[in-house]
Amino acid sequence: MPTAERKLHQLTVDELTFRISSLLLQDPALQSAVVRGEVAELKKHTSGHVYFTLLGKESRISCALFRNYLPYVPKWPQNGDEVLAEGSVSLYAPRGSYQLIVRRIVPVGKGAAERARLELQQRLENEGLFDVRLKRPLPRFPAKAAVVTSATGAALRDVVAVAAKRMPSCALVVVPAQVQGYEAPVEIVAALGRAGRVEGAECVLLVRGGGSRDDLVPFDDERVVRAVRNCPLPLITGVGHEIDETLSDLAADVRAPTPSAAAERVFPDRFELLAMLEHKKRLARSAIEGDIRSAEKDAEAFLRRASRLAEGRIGECVSDGEMLFSRLRAANERFLSAERERLGSLAASLNSLSPLRVFDRGYSLCEKDGVPVTSAAGLKPEDGITIRFFDGDADAVVTAVDLKDETA
């Protein structure tokens, strides 16, 4: 018999159940656990909840997926599928058993994963998420670009190397994110959100290096696919190998087969640009020279036409001038002839009235100091006078003046 008795705690079933439940709630690892196992006994209740069992090699756990989480799970689960179930461990008091309250299911087996991917692809395609009309063109000459990838991965080194070689003037902003593993979708979505807010960025590169098809599962996650489509900047993906295609590739504005190919699509080759500019310069110079030659030919043709028109017009003006001059000369001659005749007639009339005509009949004109003497009263003895005859003049001196008696 033991020397000291151990004190025992007496508990009711409810108290014990409460204590166990409290212990489960206090363990963070059990409240956010990811459990790998095989789906069995899958049942969908009329309430909308889904119940199933996850099988291990030597154990099992009951699982419940409530209907409010169904939209986040593809309609793929089948008995026998291997999955990763994320949720919290709790105690189901009525049965005294623990269970996993599932919030998210990710397929692990190849067949289940592919079936889930195809079902999600069809659902998103029906929503129009992959519509080509939503695709945006990449900027031709980006000044800044955001790169979402692992900060230590080969994909980032490839992008940096290509950008430095082809377009070193473009600034790169690296937005790091885990791109592999169960937590990768959450980080990729958050990184895409930050990349879309990078000041001055013109596009986003979402890249990841090669690996197995299972390594690319995060890029088939619905949250990542929607984040790709909702990115405010044009987005190009370069994920995995050339033969790999993810749902994120379908949602992206542009899809490239590899990270290096994505960088080559975003960053134009500066040497090709310089060659293109030189070619365009030659084409522009040739076009300008051609235009100048064409303009010179047009100007010469215009001058020839103008010269011919001017010569013709000048000829017409000269002809019109000669005709007008001829008409003016004829009219002037007629006018002068008429004026001569009129002048002759006036001269004859004037000559008939001229006082000199009386000289022809024997009369003479007496002047004193150059003034005609019209009366004898205007003379006195010793006045000098001039007597004008038709053939000459004679000077005389008045010796006497004999005035007639007007009353006689």
Side-chain angles (χ1 to χ4, degrees):
M1 184 174 179
T3 58
E5 293 185 0
R6 184 177 57 182
K7 185 177 181 180
L8 300 177
H9 294 281
Q10 182 176 347
L11 301 172
T12 65
V13 173
D14 291 342
E15 289 173 341
L16 178 61
T17 301
F18 177 77
R19 281 176 174 258
I20 296 174
S21 179
S22 298
L23 291 175
L24 293 177
L25 292 174
Q26 292 172 9
D27 190 341
L30 297 181
Q31 294 309 303
S32 183
V34 179
V35 183
R36 183 168 182 160
E38 180 183 316
V39 175
E41 302 172 358
L42 182 68
K43 297 179 182 178
K44 187 174 181 180
H45 197 271
T46 55
S47 62
H49 307 317
V50 175
Y51 301 96
F52 59 96
T53 301
L54 280 182
L55 302 179
K57 290 182 179 181
E58 297 181 358
S59 59
R60 64 172 55 200
I61 183 172
S62 299
C63 301
L65 176 68
F66 297 133
R67 62 184 180 184
N68 54 315
Y69 289 106
L70 285 181
Y72 304 101
V73 179
K75 299 178 181 179
W76 57 265
Q78 295 181 10
N79 291 327
D81 289 343
E82 188 175 7
V83 301
L84 292 176
E86 176 188 343
S88 59
V89 180
S90 67
L91 184 66
Y92 186 55
R95 292 186 180 179
S97 62
Y98 74 95
Q99 62 181 357
L100 182 66
I101 305 302
V102 179
R103 297 188 295 268
R104 181 181 173 217
I105 300 178
V106 177
V108 178
K110 185 175 180 181
E114 181 63 16
R115 190 166 63 250
R117 191 179 74 86
L118 293 176
E119 289 180 358
L120 178 60
Q121 177 179 343
Q122 185 62 49
R123 178 160 58 86
L124 296 180
E125 187 171 352
N126 292 339
E127 289 184 22
L129 204 70
F130 307 139
D131 195 330
V132 295
R133 291 173 295 184
L134 300 177
K135 308 297 184 183
R136 297 163 295 186
L138 296 174
R140 293 189 62 187
F141 310 107
K144 180 185 286 188
V147 184
V148 176
T149 188
S150 171
T152 59
L156 178 59
R157 293 193 295 271
D158 292 343
V159 171
V160 171
V162 172
K165 179 180 178 181
R166 293 172 67 87
M167 197 176 183
S169 61
C170 181
L172 294 182
V173 178
V174 179
V175 184
Q178 181 180 336
V179 292
Q180 182 176 334
Y182 186 78
E183 299 297 333
V186 176
E187 292 202 17
I188 294 174
V189 171
L192 287 174
R194 295 195 302 273
R197 296 189 297 271
V198 171
E199 184 177 358
E202 299 177 51
C203 63
V204 175
L205 292 87
L206 175 61
V207 294
R208 184 202 185 283
S212 67
R213 188 63 184 80
D214 290 340
D215 293 335
L216 304 181
V217 168
F219 297 90
D220 289 324
D221 188 282
E222 182 175 357
R223 294 167 295 176
V224 174
V225 177
R226 292 189 181 278
V228 168
R229 180 64 273 163
N230 294 329
C231 182
L233 301 176
L235 185 146
I236 182 171
T237 54
V239 177
H241 301 291
E242 186 170 354
I243 60 174
D244 298 322
E245 184 179 64
T246 66
L247 299 185
S248 292
D249 292 324
L250 299 178
D253 296 295
V254 179
R255 184 252 177 180
T258 64
S260 296
E264 291 174 356
R265 288 291 302 273
V266 172
F267 309 112
D269 190 336
R270 54 175 170 166
F271 298 108
E272 291 181 1
L273 288 177
L274 292 175
M276 181 187 67
L277 290 175
E278 184 61 29
H279 177 65
K280 289 185 177 294
K281 180 180 177 181
R282 290 194 297 269
L283 290 178
R285 181 185 295 111
S286 177
I288 292 173
E289 291 175 351
D291 291 342
I292 291 175
R293 288 192 297 269
S294 177
E296 288 176 345
K297 291 181 180 178
D298 292 343
E300 291 174 357
F302 175 77
L303 289 175
R304 287 194 297 270
R305 291 195 299 270
S307 178
R308 289 195 298 269
L309 292 173
E311 290 175 357
R313 186 59 181 164
I314 291 172
E316 292 177 0
C317 291
V318 170
S319 177
D320 293 343
E322 290 176 350
M323 183 180 297
L324 180 60
F325 180 75
S326 176
R327 290 178 180 176
L328 288 174
R329 184 171 58 186
N332 188 51
E333 289 178 353
R334 290 193 299 272
F335 176 75
L336 291 176
S337 177
E339 290 299 309
R340 289 192 193 98
E341 291 180 1
R342 192 169 70 86
L343 183 58
S345 176
L346 291 175
S349 300
L350 183 61
N351 189 46
S352 64
L353 298 175
S354 175
L356 299 178
R357 292 294 301 275
V358 297
F359 293 157
D360 295 339
R361 297 193 297 272
Y363 292 99
S364 60
L365 177 64
C366 179
E367 293 182 351
K368 176 184 176 180
D369 299 327
V371 178
V373 179
T374 59
S375 172
L379 295 175
K380 63 182 182 291
E382 300 300 330
D383 285 340
I385 62 173
T386 299
I387 301 174
R388 297 186 182 280
F389 299 92
F390 77 96
D391 57 352
D393 299 335
D395 293 330
V397 177
V398 178
T399 58
V401 177
D402 185 10
L403 297 175
K404 291 183 180 183
D405 187 1
E406 294 180 359
T407 59

